[in-house]
Amino acid sequence: MGLLQNFESEANHLTEEQRLWKIADGFRFWVCSELRNLEFSERISLRGDYLFVVDNKPRFIVMIDEIGSWSVALTNDDKHVRFTVDENCPWPVDLSQINNVIMGSSRSTIYTDSLTLHKLLIGTLKARIAFVTGKVTITGDLAAFLKMVSLLKRNGVKPGV
């Protein structure tokens, strides 16, 4: 609850899109932190890159390996993808790697729109409902993505909390 309250107090002067990405960034950092805290055997079973595409644009990547978990925030204009890697990521990440993930090397790709993402993050839409109604589409290794979600939920990571 404190996470959302912090965002709400700062949100009065932000645009709707800025507010969404501030919430999404906070949730992304929380998810990566919790993934780093998983037992090695659980984390290694999730190893790979998970690409999140919002409004038909790649927006972030969650990277999981034997050491931990980090994310890459992506911003797009018409011709370029810019990226910011989480602090303390031990691996050098370059544009060619980002492009490889975007072009299809991710373990799973999750597609949604910004309105659905916002509802999921603030807890007014259940992920199961979004998935069943087609508001969220997952390609690639569905089992690995669902296992990651299950492990995160077990550890208390839930949108809107």
Side-chain angles (χ1 to χ4, degrees):
M1 191 63 143
L3 180 67
L4 284 179
Q5 287 173 340
N6 288 341
F7 291 127
E8 287 172 2
S9 65
E10 297 173 5
N12 294 334
H13 63 280
L14 299 176
T15 67
E16 196 67 32
E17 183 174 0
Q18 289 170 325
R19 218 174 326 204
L20 169 64
W21 293 113
K22 191 157 188 67
I23 294 169
D25 284 343
F27 193 72
R28 178 172 51 90
F29 293 137
W30 186 23
V31 163
C32 286
S33 174
E34 289 300 321
L35 288 169
R36 282 191 291 275
N37 292 332
L38 291 176
E39 293 292 326
F40 175 81
S41 60
E42 293 174 329
R43 192 175 54 250
I44 199 68
S45 70
L46 301 173
R47 184 180 183 170
D49 300 322
Y50 298 81
L51 174 64
F52 291 78
V53 177
V54 181
D55 296 329
N56 297 314
K57 293 181 181 178
R59 292 307 297 243
F60 54 93
I61 301 167
V62 172
M63 307 175 298
I64 305 171
D65 67 14
E66 59 278 349
I67 296 174
S69 175
W70 300 270
S71 64
V72 179
L74 305 169
T75 55
N76 310 276
D77 59 28
D78 291 336
K79 298 178 183 168
H80 298 35
V81 173
R82 295 180 191 358
F83 64 95
T84 305
V85 181
D86 289 351
E87 289 183 24
N88 303 322
C89 178
W91 309 116
V93 176
D94 62 35
L95 188 57
S96 67
Q97 293 167 316
I98 299 296
N99 284 331
N100 284 339
V101 171
I102 292 170
M103 298 309 287
S105 74
S106 64
R107 185 163 182 179
S108 294
T109 302
I110 299 85
Y111 298 90
T112 192
D113 60 85
S114 55
L115 180 61
T116 300
L117 178 62
H118 187 258
K119 288 178 180 179
L120 287 166
L121 290 173
I122 63 172
T124 60
L125 176 63
K126 299 280 187 197
R128 179 177 22 83
I129 301 298
F131 183 70
V132 169
T133 60
K135 300 241 182 233
V136 173
T137 305
I138 302 166
T139 62
D141 192 344
L142 177 61
F145 180 76
L146 294 176
K147 180 178 181 180
M148 177 175 59
V149 169
S150 176
L151 290 170
L152 289 167
K153 283 178 75 174
R154 181 192 74 193
N155 290 341
V157 177
K158 296 179 192 170
V161 176

